[in-house]
Amino acid sequence: MVVVDLLIFDLDGTLIDSAADLANAVNATRKWMGMAELEHDTVASYVGNGAPVLMRRALGPEASDADVERALKHFLEYYEEHKLDFTRAYDGIPELLAALKRDDVRMAVLTNKPVRISGRILEGLGLRDYFVRVYGGNSFEQKKPDPIGVQTLLHELQVDPEYTTLVGDSAVDIRTARNAGIRSIGVTWGLQPESFDADPPDMMVDRPEEIMRAVTEERTKRGVRQA
């Protein structure tokens, strides 16, 4: 069972399909560094721990720290210009967010992607206004799966961990929820659903509408008024 007064969403692979734009930016960076392109699925497997880790994985263990730093700067500049070339909200996500907002469920985004570009992507897709907070990988000293982001949201929004659930597409998100003492929902449409084998969520969903159904059922049982 999920318990929900606050839903915290991951971004890439959960709310948005950004795989093509991320892969294109990685490959543009590798080309700039004189390297061959990677398969898009390979790049997708590197996503989830923030841009610095993405570039470290994309360049390989032989790359120096200086190489990674140079590549990261180029990657972020390229991605900023091309972040919405192919990126879109997953089918059913805009409808889910609208329904949750109508039922007064507060929502936040907690991603390991840099916060400024995350906000711009949400704005570009018309989704930013659904969220009371958007925090990124550079919003705190530690990234997910460290619980600091969740803990900050709970403190700022004065929500009990018992009534908070994190929605994500990878084991990083599930470990984040576990470390923060909240529940988790894993989505199977994202970038790394296979990672749930090692870190299973409290609930797994195949479609966004299943999240709304679970929220409605739980809040009804608690006597929370639905819109």
Side-chain angles (χ1 to χ4, degrees), residues 20-103:
D21 286 332
L22 286 169
N24 289 341
V26 165
N27 281 327
T29 302
R30 282 177 59 88
K31 181 177 180 180
W32 181 73
M33 297 286 288
M35 304 172 74
E37 292 188 355
L38 297 172
E39 295 290 335
H40 282 205
D41 286 348
T42 299
V43 176
S45 73
Y46 296 159
V47 174
N49 292 93
V53 174
L54 171 61
M55 290 316 305
R56 165 61 68 185
R57 291 169 173 169
L59 295 186
E62 68 280 359
S64 68
D65 290 345
D67 285 339
V68 174
E69 187 174 347
R70 287 174 51 237
L72 177 61
K73 184 175 185 294
H74 186 274
F75 167 80
L76 291 173
E77 290 174 351
Y78 184 95
Y79 187 54
E80 173 64 43
E81 293 184 11
H82 298 276
K83 60 185 179 293
L84 289 170
D85 286 358
F86 299 101
T87 294
R88 61 176 180 82
Y90 284 105
D91 291 344
I93 288 295
E95 294 81 2
L96 169 65
L97 300 179
L100 289 167
K101 187 172 184 178
R102 285 194 301 270
D103 281 351

